[in-house]
């Protein structure tokens, strides 16, 4: 088991370079053609070793049997070509052509397909970021017009906030009215006493 992070890539199967593969194919096809199909088993042997499939091993045995039969047929023909019958010549030609076409076509097709599949399996896949299982919901976004409509009533009802750093001066304490009235009354009493006193002195004279 692996923790979080990119999955480690699997170890790719080592394979020859394209130039090496092309050289080997050219050599095997040339040997098969020059030997008139008698060495076609060499190409099939390489194919069976590369693919390691039971079908290719079975076909290798079939090609080896056909090569052995063709070799025995050639040895059984007379040394002078003029003494060979037309049927023998036609049979030998068909045998060689069928063997050449079958071995070369099958060998090239299967080997090229085999290495192409290895290349596709060995090439690393592009890294894709995995999305979380439960995506985080985005906050609700209001439409600009709706947001403006919601903000307008708040602006009408908004009251000015008092400044906490402003020093509030206490209001002046008013002078109590009863004390003022008593003072005026006392002055009036003194004035009335003074006038009475003046009137009595004037009458005595």
């Amino acid at each position: 088991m692996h923790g979080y992070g990119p999955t480690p890539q699997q170890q790719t199967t080592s394979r020859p370079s394209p130039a090496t593969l092309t050289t080997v194919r050219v050599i095997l096809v040339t040997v098969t053609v020059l030997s008139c199909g008698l060495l076609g088993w060499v190409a099939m042997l390489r194919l069976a070793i590369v693919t390691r499939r039971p079908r290719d091993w079975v076909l290798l045995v079939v090609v080896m049997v056909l090569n052995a039969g063709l070799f025995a047929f050639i040895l059984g023909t007379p040394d002078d070509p003029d003494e060979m019958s037309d049927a023998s010549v036609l049979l030998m030609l068909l045998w060689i052509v069928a063997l050449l076409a079958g071995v070369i076509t099958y060998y090239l097709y299967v080997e090229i397909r085999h290495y192409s599949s290895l290349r596709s399996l060995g090439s690393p896949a592009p890294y894709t970021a995995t999305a979380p299982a439960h995506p985080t919901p985005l906050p609700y976004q209001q439409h600009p017009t709706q947001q403006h409509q919601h903000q307008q009533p708040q602006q009408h009802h908004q009251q000015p906030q008092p400044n906490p750093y402003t020093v509030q001066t206490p209001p002046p304490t008013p002078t109590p009215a009863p004390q003022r009235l008593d003072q005026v009354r006392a002055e009036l009493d003194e004035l009335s006493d003074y006038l009475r006193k003046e009137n009595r002195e004037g009458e005595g004279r």
Side-chain angles (χ1 to χ4, degrees):
M1 295 179 65
H2 301 282
Y4 293 100
T7 306
Q9 300 179 359
Q10 296 180 355
Q11 186 178 3
T12 58
T13 305
S14 59
R15 67 184 190 90
S17 62
T20 304
L21 291 175
T22 303
T23 303
V24 171
R25 291 166 188 166
V26 170
I27 292 175
L28 291 178
V29 170
T30 303
V31 169
T32 304
V33 173
L34 294 179
S35 64
C36 297
L38 293 177
L39 296 179
W41 61 271
V42 178
M44 296 302 297
L45 176 62
R46 168 179 165 75
L47 184 63
I49 295 174
V50 169
T51 60
R52 298 179 183 179
R53 293 187 302 183
R55 182 180 64 182
D56 295 334
W57 288 104
V58 172
L59 291 177
L60 171 63
V61 174
V62 172
V63 171
M64 292 179 68
V65 171
L66 292 175
N67 287 336
L70 178 61
F71 183 73
F73 181 80
I74 294 174
L75 291 179
T77 57
D79 296 334
D80 190 1
D82 296 335
E83 296 179 0
M84 294 180 59
S85 62
D86 295 338
S88 298
V89 174
L90 182 61
L91 178 60
M92 185 177 63
L93 290 177
L94 291 177
W95 199 330
I96 294 174
V97 171
L99 191 60
L100 288 174
V103 170
I104 294 174
T105 303
Y106 183 80
Y107 163 69
L108 293 177
Y109 172 76
V110 175
E111 188 181 45
I112 293 173
R113 185 178 179 182
H114 173 72
Y115 282 110
S116 298
S117 62
L118 290 181
R119 183 185 306 173
S120 62
L121 292 176
S123 59
Y127 176 74
T128 55
T130 56
H134 301 284
T136 306
L138 296 175
Y140 175 72
Q141 298 180 354
Q142 296 181 349
H143 196 269
T145 56
Q146 297 179 356
Q147 185 177 4
H148 182 67
Q149 293 177 0
H150 285 293
Q151 290 180 355
Q152 285 182 354
Q154 297 179 0
Q155 293 178 0
H156 290 294
H157 295 283
Q158 187 176 5
Q159 297 179 357
Q161 299 292 334
N163 190 357
Y165 299 100
T166 303
V167 179
Q168 297 181 357
T169 57
T173 56
T175 305
Q179 294 182 2
R180 183 68 177 171
L181 292 175
D182 293 341
Q183 184 178 358
V184 173
R185 187 178 299 173
E187 292 177 357
L188 290 176
D189 290 341
E190 291 179 0
L191 182 58
S192 61
D193 292 341
Y194 177 76
L195 292 176
R196 288 174 187 174
K197 185 178 179 180
E198 290 292 333
N199 288 334
R200 291 176 183 176
E201 290 179 357
E203 290 177 355
R205 292 176 184 174

